[in-house]
Amino acid sequence: MDTCRIPANASKCSGNTMECFMVLSTQAQKISIGILCGLFGTMCVFENSLVLYLIFSSPGTRKKPSYLFIGSLALADILASIIFVCSFVNFHVFNEAGFSKEVFLLQLGGVNTSFSASLSSLLLTALDRYISISRPSEYKLLMTRKRAWTALAVLWVTCATIACLPLLGWNCCVLDSTCSELFPFVDDNYLSGWICFVVVLLGCIIYAYAHVLWRARQHVAYMEKHQAQAGKQNTRMRMDVMLAKTLVMVLAVLMLCWSPVLVLMIYSIFGRLSDHLRKVFAFCSTLCLLNSMVNPIIYALRSKELFSSLRRVFSHFRRQLKAAEESPEAESTHKSSVIET
């Protein structure tokens, strides 16, 4: 087992740096974490998989950059849920610490890549709405499918590179620096840099949404004033306003779910965390799963195209069930009529 300079408040851990971070002390806490992770993780994978199916099964949605970005968000949330639940439950509930530093940092890199890609996908979606509302006449020329796929490729490569820096050597074992109080082997300077990266992403998203909301408010006023003359342009404005409100709801959920985690991360850099706060951080981490679980629900309720696709899927499923139920009865009736003849 690799040894590093462990946090001061964890010096009682007999030199085993992994055990220092297993903060759940009672069976009730472990069961609670296991239930939350199992519930949120399962629902998140199911819902986001459904969103991906709805997007890419419909030619009308899979060709639009807006839904490509939403598809990237759904994929990131699926990967984050699977990797996070498996590693988090294995570590905190089953107290598995037999793996090496490299394996742990690889798991952490996978979680960071997925959550960073999720947040970055929201940024691309916000920029897409920003361009759509601020420059509607040039939108199709500026936001092409090729550019959308290029932006997504850059996004995932950048997030993976940043997340894998601890595995590549920026960790407290290689640098002989003080480890974070929240994550084994993670250098405090790297954690500070990752927090700055997330804050910059959030700042850009907030700026883009602020502009989108301002323009959406102007569009609402325009529609109320020229309602009698409304045509295709009016319909397009309604779609822009609807999607803008949807994405603001996503952002609000994102902030509510991520704020406690970010606040505790920042506090851990400038001060010492008590054992109680470290337990609070473990439970707050499950809010990230809650965010990934709520996003698809917002899409299904707010996006008319996805909601219509979902209704068609359920209608097709009901017809298949009805046909399967009626088929044996029809066959039985046919056999009985043959016997009577």
Side-chain angles (χ1 to χ4, degrees):
M1 177 69 67
D2 298 275
T3 58
C4 315
R5 191 180 306 170
I6 60 177
N9 65 336
S11 58
K12 57 185 179 181
C13 298
S14 302
N16 190 332
T17 59
M18 299 296 286
E19 290 182 356
C20 299
F21 299 88
M22 297 175 180
V23 295
L24 303 182
S25 55
T26 67
Q27 195 67 20
Q29 293 173 353
K30 295 180 180 181
I31 293 175
S32 299
I33 284 288
I35 292 175
L36 289 175
C37 288
L39 177 62
F40 292 163
T42 302
M43 292 298 296
C44 180
V45 171
F46 171 76
E47 292 172 2
N48 283 285
S49 298
L50 181 60
V51 169
L52 283 177
Y53 173 78
L54 294 177
I55 290 175
F56 290 99
S57 64
S58 172
T61 55
R62 68 168 176 256
K63 294 180 180 180
K64 295 182 178 180
S66 300
Y67 288 103
L68 290 179
F69 299 147
I70 292 177
S72 173
L73 175 62
L75 176 62
D77 285 338
I78 291 174
L79 295 176
S81 300
I82 295 174
I83 301 173
F84 177 84
V85 169
C86 292
S87 58
F88 196 78
V89 171
N90 190 43
F91 186 81
H92 283 289
V93 176
F94 297 106
N95 297 137
E96 178 60 46
F99 40 79
S100 65
K101 174 192 70 177
E102 288 75 18
V103 172
F104 179 85
L105 291 178
L106 180 62
Q107 293 177 350
L108 184 63
V111 173
N112 285 346
T113 298
S114 303
F115 279 129
S116 299
S118 176
L119 189 59
S120 300
S121 297
L122 277 178
L123 175 59
L124 289 183
T125 310
L127 294 177
D128 175 75
R129 289 299 90 201
Y130 178 89
I131 297 173
S132 175
I133 288 184
S134 62
R135 306 174 71 175
S137 60
E138 305 174 31
Y139 173 75
K140 290 186 177 180
L141 294 176
L142 294 174
M143 190 58 67
T144 62
R145 290 188 67 201
K146 182 178 180 180
R147 289 181 177 178
W149 282 111
T150 301
L152 288 175
V154 172
L155 177 159
W156 281 90
V157 170
T158 301
C159 292
T161 301
I162 294 175
C164 290
L165 288 177
L167 182 62
L168 297 175
W170 191 353
N171 59 72
C172 53
C173 295
V174 173
L175 300 177
D176 193 27
S177 57
T178 303
C179 294
S180 166
E181 294 186 20
L182 296 174
F183 305 101
F185 312 120
V186 173
D187 179 69
D188 264 341
N189 292 327
Y190 170 80
L191 183 60
S192 301
W194 189 83
I195 292 174
C196 290
F197 172 66
V198 171
V199 170
V200 169
L201 288 178
L202 289 174
C204 293
I205 293 174
I206 292 172
Y207 174 80
Y209 280 148
H211 183 83
V212 167
L213 283 179
W214 176 64
R215 293 302 295 266
R217 186 175 180 180
Q218 286 185 327
H219 285 182
V220 171
Y222 177 88
M223 287 188 292
E224 292 176 352
K225 185 177 180 180
H226 301 86
Q227 191 169 7
Q229 306 173 8
K232 291 185 178 179
Q233 184 179 7
N234 197 3
T235 303
R236 175 60 184 273
M237 286 180 178
R238 283 198 180 96
M239 291 176 61
D240 286 339
V241 172
M242 188 72 172
L243 191 51
K245 291 180 179 179
T246 299
L247 298 178
V248 169
M249 291 175 62
V250 173
L251 179 61
V253 173
L254 178 77
M255 293 299 294
L256 289 174
C257 292
W258 275 85
S259 293
V261 172
L262 289 176
V263 168
L264 288 174
M265 284 184 183
I266 295 173
Y267 182 80
S268 71
I269 295 173
F270 297 101
R272 290 184 179 180
L273 291 177
S274 64
D275 290 340
H276 175 71
L277 285 179
R278 295 169 74 200
K279 291 178 183 178
V280 171
F281 178 80
F283 279 91
C284 287
S285 298
T286 61
L287 292 176
C288 302
L289 283 178
L290 178 62
N291 170 66
S292 299
M293 185 186 74
V294 171
N295 284 343
I297 299 176
I298 298 177
Y299 303 147
L301 293 178
R302 302 287 298 182
S303 172
K304 289 184 178 180
E305 291 177 285
L306 289 184
F307 187 71
S308 298
S309 298
L310 183 61
R311 290 182 62 182
R312 286 196 297 269
V313 170
F314 281 134
S315 297
H316 179 70
F317 182 68
R318 283 199 300 266
R319 286 196 300 269
Q320 285 186 329
L321 285 179
K322 188 176 181 180
E325 292 175 357
E326 292 178 351
S327 180
E329 295 178 2
E331 184 178 352
S332 176
T333 304
H334 175 71
K335 287 182 179 180
S336 61
S337 63
V338 171
I339 293 174
E340 289 175 2
T341 303

